[in-house]
Amino acid sequence: MSLALNFNKLRRQVDISARNWKLIKEKHPSKTLIGQDRALEALEFGIGNKSSGFNIYVSGYPGSGKRSAINHFLEEKAKSEASPEDWCYVNNFKDGYYPKKLSLQKGGALVFKNEIGKLIEESQIALLKAFDSKEYANKRQDIFDEFQQKEISLFQDIYKKANSNNFAISRTPIEIRVVPVDDDGNPISDQIFRKLSKKKQEQIIQKRDILMAELNALLRQNRELDKERKEAVIKLENDVALYAIDSLLEELKEKYKKNHEVIDYLESVKNHIIENLSEFLQVSNHKNRMTSAPVHRFMEYEINIITDNTDTEGAPIVMELNPTYNNLFGKVEHESDMGTLITNFTLIRGGALHRANGGYLIIPARDLLLNYFAWDGLKRALQNSQVVIEDASERFGFLSTKSLKPDPIPLNVKVVLMGSPMLHYLLYKWDDDFKELFMVKAEFDTSMDYSALHVRDFASVIFKIQNENKLLPLDHKAISHLVEQSCRIAENQHKISIRFGELSNILHEANHYAQTESKAQISSDEIQRAIEAKYYRSNLIQEKIMDLIRRKTLMIELEGSKIGQINGISVLDLGDFKFGRPNKITVNVASGKEGLIDIEREAKLGGPLHTKGVLILSGYLGEKYGQNKNISLFASLVFEQSYSEIEGDSASSTELYAILSALSQLPLKQWIAVSGSVNQKGEIQPVGAINEKVEGYFEVCRQHGFNGEQGVMIPKGNMDHLMLKQEVVDAVKEGKFHVWAIGTVDEGIELLTGYPSGRRLKSGSFTKNSVHDLVDQRIQALNKVMTKNSGAKR
């Protein structure tokens, strides 16, 4: 049976008719989660409802559409859920260092803020009016008159007594004096006093001291009267203020009677106003001394809204793409005042957790882990079910500026982490908290099985992308071409890639070309042009290598036959672009005990997988030819003109063919390149990047010139992975190029040498003049040389 593949095996051809494409656009429902049944089931289980669901880790590779799919899924889920309450911070009048939280029903925070603003404004007007009233002035004056009369009555007797004893009481702002006077009531001067007899002086001083003692006692009583007067005035002011404010507060208290936190806050506001009436009744605002900006005088009564869900329909969905500590948990901002940073409760800012509270928060896992404190903070918030706003510097154990300690806000949120499978593995292995907090994994696939239904689903998503981005419409050939390209991206004829990010890029570029040429729709030509343009923008290094091969700087044989020499194919992956290139592999064989020497390994240029592949060759040789004898040989194996590390085992079968050629002395066809790994039993195993390898060798052959014999030998297991470029398929169809699929080493060596591989006979030998027979004979000859040399040495 021929090993050459027919051209129709090299690429899946897709043909969506114009009629079917029209039906898909008109009747087939547009989906977001296609080919993701496993992930969808995990999301359904994980989300459940907010009270019993789990946090989820969404695992998938970039471009798998997991972000948009999660958004769509959560949007549908959130619609049926209740919107959460609003949260705000208010002043703690007892200790401003600890602002208090308030919870209000959806949309209630903004309403409450306006109500408090109105209350304060009306309270000031009512109080100013009350304290400017004639009634208040009369009552206040009555208090002053009453206590003035009491003061007069208090000092009336002491004034009479002083007068009867020829003394006068003099009161000034800084002192009170008892002064002796003459019969006419004039103060006795010091000169006259000194002329008095000593006895008279002592009598005057004694009387004065008695009067002063009585006067001091009365002054103490007067101070008590003054205190009582002030208390009476304060009580009057408080009574007036209470009368003015209570009526304004009554409506709010009735409205919020079931919210005890709000009732307590309203009481605190009332008490603070009454305790600070003089400041409250001042009319003008003051200014920031540093910026001259006006500062709201009633700032202490402000309502700082942290979350306002007025416009939120259903549960909130927040995607935080920059999950820094402050962006997640909020922060306390500071203002500069005379060179000093100050803060207050109105400068508290909420974070993504506050906005997502009562709903869902989506975070890229990698970005979360890269931000200091963010991951630990998130775990703590989920474990304690509360959001704490604190300065990140506190995590270091010190504070650089004065800050606040706001009340923690209760947290009810489902977190969806998006990341790679490797990141999930690392977190699951090394972080015990991760296992508890993220119990459910929703794994997004990158491809789905090729079927008529899935093709329709795929086409409907492309139609949705077209409409959402307002692109030109696609014709039926363009959508067919996109399906083929998706199979190529999936590297499988029986799979459709659902990495719509990459496909969307092709679609946008094709749309650009169609618009440039003033076309009404996108055709297959624009799709192909977009694919080729991306290839052209990235293949500079490939062209440089091609030029080196053309100039024979890199020596690649494409014609004739050589012993111990073969063309393998390696793949260079540049991230956004990978391509195949031929490598000359050579083997030299001689007598010796060293066995198989891998020069790449000896030079430390061979990776562990490549080394494993070479060691497998020793196992194959031993099983095939060492059943009845030792194998004593020296065989050196090398990738010629290779100056960087070689990794992978995809060239192990190629290396084996070169070894068999060197041992059998049968030349190998240089126009055939080979790719495929081999196991110890001689079975050819599939390898990766098979399309790039075939196409890379095709480009080299086209540059050299086709001779009708050139081609690539690949593993049979890679047949389903072939999605070659149309130009390669056409070349095979025209007989210019060939692709052979083999399953065993025997099939490959026969194709490369033109000799039968041979089979083992009962005697232990192989079919006469077969490849295996020639190899076996050569090994025996090398053993004899080795034995002879050993005997000569003895």
Side-chain angles (χ1 to χ4, degrees):
M1 186 177 81
S2 174
L3 301 175
L5 295 180
N6 192 279
F7 71 90
N8 58 14
K9 297 286 188 182
L10 305 180
R11 179 184 179 91
R12 175 179 282 279
Q13 301 293 334
V14 180
D15 184 14
I16 300 175
S17 67
R19 179 176 178 275
N20 286 340
W21 177 223
K22 182 180 180 181
L23 289 173
I24 289 172
K25 291 188 289 185
E26 292 177 352
K27 297 183 178 181
H28 197 71
S30 180
K31 299 180 180 179
T32 300
L33 280 171
I34 67 167
Q36 304 290 4
D37 294 341
R38 184 193 303 269
L40 182 59
E41 184 178 338
L43 287 172
E44 287 283 3
F45 170 74
I47 296 300
N49 56 71
K50 290 197 291 294
S51 61
S52 62
F54 302 95
N55 301 308
I56 296 179
Y57 185 97
V58 176
S59 173
Y61 292 99
S64 59
K66 57 183 180 294
R67 181 186 299 178
S68 58
I70 293 167
N71 254 335
H72 178 78
F73 175 85
L74 292 180
E75 284 171 2
E76 294 299 316
K77 186 76 177 171
K79 287 178 183 177
S80 60
E81 297 177 356
S83 298
E85 66 270 30
D86 294 348
W87 288 96
C88 53
Y89 278 109
V90 294
N91 190 17
N92 184 344
F93 296 106
K94 294 182 179 178
D95 189 347
Y97 182 67
Y98 299 98
K100 290 184 174 295
K101 66 179 184 297
L102 288 183
S103 170
L104 296 150
Q105 64 181 7
K106 173 190 171 183
L110 187 59
V111 172
F112 187 65
K113 178 183 177 73
N114 294 332
E115 289 173 340
I116 291 297
K118 184 179 179 182
L119 170 68
I120 298 302
E121 182 180 346
E122 291 180 349
S123 295
Q124 187 188 40
I125 294 171
L127 289 172
L128 286 171
K129 184 177 180 181
F131 288 114
D132 284 341
S133 66
K134 183 177 180 180
E135 292 80 2
Y136 167 76
N138 290 338
K139 287 185 178 181
R140 192 171 188 274
Q141 188 59 46
D142 289 345
I143 292 173
F144 277 94
D145 291 345
E146 178 186 351
F147 279 90
Q148 186 177 11
Q149 189 61 42
K150 288 182 179 180
E151 183 179 353
I152 292 171
S153 300
L154 182 66
F155 288 97
Q156 186 175 9
D157 291 341
I158 193 70
Y159 276 105
K160 289 180 179 179
K161 185 176 181 180
N163 188 47
S164 64
N165 287 282
N166 291 328
F167 280 95
I169 298 175
S170 173
R171 297 179 67 178
T172 68
I174 60 172
E175 65 178 347
I176 186 166
R177 299 168 58 196
V178 178
V179 182
V181 296
D182 57 22
D183 294 336
D184 296 328
N186 299 315
I188 298 176
S189 64
D190 289 342
Q191 291 179 348
I192 296 175
F193 182 78
R194 283 194 294 270
K195 291 177 180 180
L196 297 174
S197 65
K198 191 166 185 68
K199 183 178 179 181
K200 186 65 173 177
Q201 290 179 0
E202 290 176 352
Q203 288 176 347
I204 291 174
I205 292 172
Q206 184 179 8
K207 289 180 180 180
R208 186 195 65 180
D209 290 342
I210 292 171
L211 286 171
M212 279 299 298
E214 293 179 4
L215 186 58
N216 286 332
L218 291 174
L219 285 173
R220 285 192 292 272
Q221 292 181 42
N222 188 55
R223 282 194 289 272
E224 289 297 322
L225 282 176
D226 193 52
K227 183 178 179 182
E228 290 177 12
R229 177 183 61 79
K230 290 179 179 178
E231 289 176 351
V233 172
I234 291 173
K235 183 177 184 304
L236 173 64
E237 290 176 346
N238 289 350
D239 290 343
V240 171
L242 279 173
Y243 178 79
I245 295 174
D246 272 342
S247 59
L248 298 174
L249 281 173
E250 195 60 37
E251 184 179 348
L252 288 179
K253 287 184 175 180
E254 179 62 26
K255 179 179 178 180
Y256 295 104
K257 61 184 178 182
K258 294 183 179 179
N259 192 328
H260 300 297
E261 290 180 341
V262 172
I263 295 299
D264 291 343
Y265 174 68
L266 292 175
E267 283 294 322
S268 299
V269 169
K270 180 183 75 174
N271 294 334
H272 189 267
I273 291 174
I274 292 172
E275 291 168 5
N276 299 272
L277 276 174
S278 59
E279 291 86 356
F280 187 81
L281 293 176
Q282 291 178 7
V283 177
S284 62
N285 293 338
H286 66 278
K287 294 184 177 181
N288 184 303
R289 291 171 291 175
M290 196 72 177
T291 63
S292 297
V295 177
H296 188 30
R297 195 166 46 78
F298 294 138
M299 179 190 67
E300 53 209 341
Y301 305 112
E302 281 288 311
I303 306 298
N304 183 6
I305 299 175
I306 300 299
T307 56
D308 177 16
N309 291 303
T310 303
D311 299 324
T312 303
E313 297 298 331
I317 301 170
V318 176
M319 181 177 290
E320 182 52 71
L321 299 179
N322 183 25
T324 64
Y325 184 85
N326 287 340
N327 285 352
L328 283 177
F329 301 96
K331 59 183 176 180
V332 179
E333 294 180 343
H334 293 76
E335 291 180 340
S336 178
D337 186 13
M338 296 297 290
T340 301
L341 292 177
I342 60 173
T343 189
N344 58 70
F345 76 97
T346 65
L347 297 177
I348 301 172
R349 302 291 178 258
L353 279 170
H354 296 91
R355 298 195 304 275
N357 201 2
Y360 306 95
L361 176 60
I362 306 170
I363 309 174
R366 182 177 180 274
D367 296 326
L368 177 67
L369 295 171
L370 286 175
N371 282 288
Y372 292 117
F373 310 129
W375 173 237
D376 286 340
L378 178 63
K379 291 192 295 181
R380 188 178 301 106
L382 294 176
Q383 288 167 339
N384 299 329
S385 297
Q386 62 180 20
V387 192
V388 178
I389 300 177
E390 61 181 349
D391 197 313
S393 62
E394 292 186 8
R395 304 294 301 275
F396 288 111
F398 64 88
L399 279 174
S400 57
T401 56
K402 182 180 179 181
S403 191
L404 304 175
K405 298 270 304 176
D407 278 350
I409 290 179
L411 181 64
N412 175 27
V413 68
K414 288 293 167 280
V415 177
V416 179
L417 286 184
M418 300 184 302
S420 66
M422 177 57 72
L423 201 53
H424 179 273
Y425 167 77
L426 292 173
L427 286 170
Y428 196 86
K429 182 176 182 181
W430 298 108
D431 193 325
D432 292 334
D433 295 330
F434 177 77
K435 302 174 187 178
E436 301 297 327
L437 294 173
F438 294 87
M439 298 174 59
V440 177
K441 178 173 74 168
E443 195 155 16
F444 273 67
D445 203 348
T446 57
S447 63
M448 60 183 177
D449 292 337
Y450 188 98
S451 68
L453 175 60
H454 284 165
V455 169
R456 290 196 297 272
D457 288 342
F458 175 90
S460 72
V461 174
I462 296 298
F463 181 59
K464 181 181 179 183
I465 294 173
Q466 169 197 307
N467 290 335
E468 288 178 349
N469 295 276
K470 299 180 180 179
L471 306 178
L472 292 175
L474 285 79
D475 66 19
H476 67 103
K477 290 185 178 179
I479 190 65
S480 299
H481 199 152
L482 274 178
V483 176
E484 291 178 5
Q485 183 64 19
S486 75
C487 292
R488 178 179 171 88
I489 294 171
E491 297 184 344
N492 197 311
Q493 295 181 11
H494 304 293
K495 295 287 184 180
I496 300 175
S497 173
I498 47 180
R499 299 177 71 165
F500 288 105
E502 187 171 346
L503 294 165
S504 179
N505 292 339
I506 295 173
L507 194 56
H508 277 79
E509 188 165 347
N511 180 75
H512 167 73
Y513 295 135
Q515 288 181 331
T516 302
E517 297 178 5
S518 301
K519 291 187 175 181
Q521 59 183 3
I522 300 171
S523 69
S524 178
D525 292 339
E526 282 75 52
I527 298 295
Q528 183 60 30
R529 184 178 174 186
I531 294 170
E532 291 175 353
K534 182 179 183 298
Y535 181 89
Y536 174 76
R537 290 192 294 267
S538 305
N539 77 331
L540 178 62
I541 293 179
Q542 182 185 23
E543 290 187 353
K544 295 289 186 182
I545 292 175
M546 292 283 292
D547 186 60
L548 292 174
I549 294 173
R550 182 178 61 83
R551 296 175 180 274
K552 299 197 182 303
T553 303
L554 286 178
M555 296 184 291
I556 303 295
E557 303 287 342
L558 297 174
E559 294 182 354
S561 299
K562 293 287 183 70
I563 295 173
Q565 177 176 309
I566 192 170
N567 288 328
I569 309 176
S570 61
V571 171
L572 275 69
D573 192 339
L574 305 179
D576 65 326
F577 176 71
K578 58 184 177 180
F579 63 93
R581 54 152 293 189
N583 292 90
K584 180 189 290 186
I585 299 173
T586 62
V587 174
N588 284 339
V589 175
S591 174
K593 291 184 177 180
E594 291 85 351
L596 185 58
I597 302 298
D598 177 14
I599 294 178
E600 307 298 334
R601 177 186 177 187
E602 297 299 318
K604 294 183 170 47
L605 290 176
L609 295 180
H610 178 261
T611 299
K612 176 187 175 183
V614 174
L615 293 175
I616 286 174
L617 302 184
S618 298
Y620 173 84
L621 294 174
E623 194 272 340
K624 198 75 174 179
Y625 307 110
Q627 297 299 311
N628 53 7
K629 58 184 174 299
N630 292 327
I631 299 178
S632 299
L633 59 79
F634 166 83
S636 61
L637 170 69
V638 68
F639 277 66
E640 302 290 358
Q641 293 184 289
S642 172
Y643 308 105
S644 58
E645 181 176 302
I646 295 174
E647 181 59 307
D649 65 346
S650 63
S652 57
S653 69
T654 315
E655 294 163 335
L656 180 57
Y657 296 136
I659 293 171
L660 296 179
S661 171
L663 286 170
S664 67
Q665 292 297 291
L666 294 174
L668 300 175
K669 299 170 183 176
Q670 297 301 293
W671 59 82
I672 299 178
V674 180
S675 182
S677 70
V678 66
N679 61 28
Q680 293 189 115
K681 300 301 182 181
E683 297 170 325
I684 303 301
Q685 303 168 143
V687 294
I690 196 65
N691 293 300
E692 287 77 8
K693 290 175 179 177
V694 173
E695 291 165 358
Y697 190 67
F698 172 82
E699 293 291 343
V700 173
C701 292
R702 179 165 61 179
Q703 174 181 268
H704 177 270
F706 294 119
N707 60 15
E709 295 182 320
Q710 295 149 338
V712 180
M713 194 165 69
I714 67 170
K716 278 186 178 178
N718 280 123
M719 289 174 61
D720 287 345
H721 304 147
L722 290 174
M723 279 299 297
L724 298 172
K725 294 178 181 177
Q726 190 60 47
E727 58 186 349
V728 180
V729 176
D730 293 341
V732 172
K733 185 177 181 180
E734 295 169 6
K736 296 178 180 179
F737 194 73
H738 307 276
V739 178
W740 297 275
I742 62 169
T744 65
V745 171
D746 289 352
E747 292 176 351
I749 198 66
E750 288 180 357
L751 179 62
L752 289 165
T753 63
Y755 279 71
S757 59
R759 59 185 180 84
R760 189 183 295 275
L761 303 175
K762 291 182 179 180
S763 62
S765 61
F766 295 92
T767 307
K768 189 77 171 166
N769 292 327
S770 64
V771 176
H772 292 313
D773 179 52
L774 295 174
V775 171
D776 194 51
Q777 290 181 35
R778 182 70 184 283
I779 290 174
Q780 292 181 33
L782 292 173
N783 283 346
K784 288 178 181 179
V785 173
M786 188 65 192
T787 303
K788 182 179 178 181
N789 290 340
S790 297
K793 288 181 181 179
R794 285 198 296 269

